[in-house]
Amino acid sequence: MKIIEVNGNKQYIMKKWLATKISFYAALAVCAVAAAVGIARFCLGRTDGGGLFHDLAVAVGAAALLFIPLIVERALKWYIPNLIVLAAYFIIVTNLIGGEVFHLFNASGINNIKIFDKAMHTFNGVVFMFFGYSLFSMLNNIPSKNNNFSPLFVAFFAFGFSMLIEYVWEIYEFTLDSIGEVFNMQRWKDGLVSLDPNENGFYEIFDRRGSAIADTMGDMIVHALGSLPVAVAGIVCMRNEGDDFILRTSVLSKKQVAYFTAVNNGIAVQTQDDSADNLAAETEAAAANDANTR
């Protein structure tokens, strides 16, 4: 682990944990099991061709998504903290494999509340708050600039970003449900008297608001409830530690990594507007000189 101090603030650039690597392969194994379960269901006659296609598509899609953090780190030269990577793996596996393939989204509790679905939306609110902090830090290029902003403003920005992701997701669900009667992502079928429209071409429902509205608003509410504690914690930590809270929990861009690496190697950084390429070049030159000296 590298601990770099810049302007009195500590920046942590940690090596990948063994748990992170194990979790990656474990998640891939779960995707493979999900694909096998889908094939077994089809062979046993418990699902049709459409169900088989759904299970295989979800399993393959989930496996592909698991590679995104690795691709981002290697292609874009970003640094992603271990906890965020682990959270991303958890979201992908639980939502796609657990929710879609093993149908945990259908698990209901008191008042027919979809317990697993609401739990996932709550956890997503927590995770996307940290992505909001990361985005704020990246937009400022060098994290030390974050000291110029109020902790309340930074937390408000991250909260707004987190809720934006939830809003876009609900649009995605609505769009799929609008394509035809195949999809039920917003649970619009759950409140129907019949799956067939009446003589006037309308669906009759149990609830005047409709189960889709209740599902959508419930998802957005629990997402906000998951985001708020992180916002409060961020405000408290930033008031006590400055931008150290962001530096320890956020994704770092290529420019930020180059900046901190240059400082760590004793390279004088004249301005915070130096390009990432120049900083990276200086860092590589310093490393080469160090290797030649040895």
Side-chain angles (χ1 to χ4, degrees):
M1 178 180 69
K2 297 180 181 178
I3 301 178
I4 307 170
E5 187 168 326
V6 180
N7 298 329
N9 296 311
K10 291 182 179 179
Q11 168 63 52
Y12 298 82
I13 301 180
M14 302 179 66
K15 294 182 179 179
K16 286 302 174 187
W17 296 339
L18 178 60
T20 306
K21 297 179 181 179
I22 294 176
S23 298
F24 172 76
Y25 291 109
L28 283 179
V30 172
C31 293
V33 170
V37 169
I39 295 174
R41 286 174 178 169
F42 178 74
C43 293
L44 294 174
R46 297 181 179 179
T47 185
D48 56 12
L52 174 62
F53 174 78
H54 171 271
D55 291 344
L56 292 180
V58 171
V60 173
L65 289 175
L66 292 173
F67 285 91
I68 289 182
L70 181 63
I71 294 174
V72 167
E73 287 183 320
R74 294 191 176 182
L76 301 180
K77 307 300 182 184
W78 288 7
Y79 166 75
I80 306 178
N82 289 285
L83 288 177
I84 291 185
V85 174
L86 288 173
Y89 292 161
F90 180 79
I91 288 176
I92 293 170
V93 171
T94 53
N95 279 274
L96 294 179
I97 303 301
E100 294 293 337
V101 176
F102 294 106
H103 308 296
L104 293 179
F105 283 144
N106 294 328
S108 300
I110 301 175
N111 294 328
N112 202 34
I113 296 176
K114 305 297 182 182
I115 299 177
F116 184 84
D117 180 44
K118 295 300 179 281
M120 288 299 97
H121 277 279
T122 304
F123 182 75
N124 291 346
V126 174
V127 174
F128 283 111
M129 276 296 295
F130 288 104
F131 281 109
Y133 285 122
S134 299
L135 178 61
F136 184 89
S137 180
M138 286 183 179
L139 291 175
N140 286 287
N141 293 323
I142 303 303
S144 59
K145 291 182 180 181
N146 296 334
N147 282 327
N148 299 324
F149 293 95
S150 164
L152 181 61
F153 174 80
V154 179
F156 183 79
F157 177 91
F159 180 80
F161 174 80
S162 179
M163 293 306 299
L164 174 63
I165 297 299
E166 172 63 20
Y167 175 74
V168 172
W169 175 256
E170 294 301 329
I171 291 178
Y172 166 74
E173 288 189 346
F174 173 79
T175 301
L176 288 184
D177 286 351
S178 300
I179 292 176
E181 299 179 4
V182 176
F183 297 98
N184 187 35
M185 298 193 70
Q186 290 187 304
R187 306 298 167 188
W188 65 276
K189 293 182 180 180
D190 296 358
L192 296 181
V193 175
S194 171
L195 293 179
D196 298 318
N198 58 25
E199 63 276 6
N200 296 320
F202 296 102
Y203 289 97
E204 297 182 22
I205 59 176
F206 294 109
D207 191 334
R208 66 181 179 83
R209 295 182 304 175
S211 55
I213 296 178
D215 177 79
T216 298
M217 294 309 302
D219 290 346
M220 298 189 73
I221 290 172
V222 297
H223 188 100
L225 292 177
S227 301
L228 282 174
V230 183
V232 174
I235 293 173
V236 173
C237 291
M238 281 184 283
R239 286 180 175 175
N240 294 333
E241 307 172 11
D243 64 345
D244 197 38
F245 170 77
I246 298 179
L247 302 183
R248 285 180 293 149
T249 59
S250 296
V251 178
L252 300 180
S253 66
K254 176 182 178 181
K255 181 173 182 179
Q256 291 169 325
V257 172
Y259 174 81
F260 287 117
T261 303
V263 173
N264 188 57
N265 291 335
I267 300 174
V269 181
Q270 297 178 353
T271 66
Q272 293 184 343
D273 294 326
D274 290 335
S275 68
D277 293 336
N278 290 338
L279 288 175
E282 292 179 4
T283 302
E284 293 174 359
N289 290 335
D290 182 63
N292 292 332
T293 302
R294 295 181 181 179

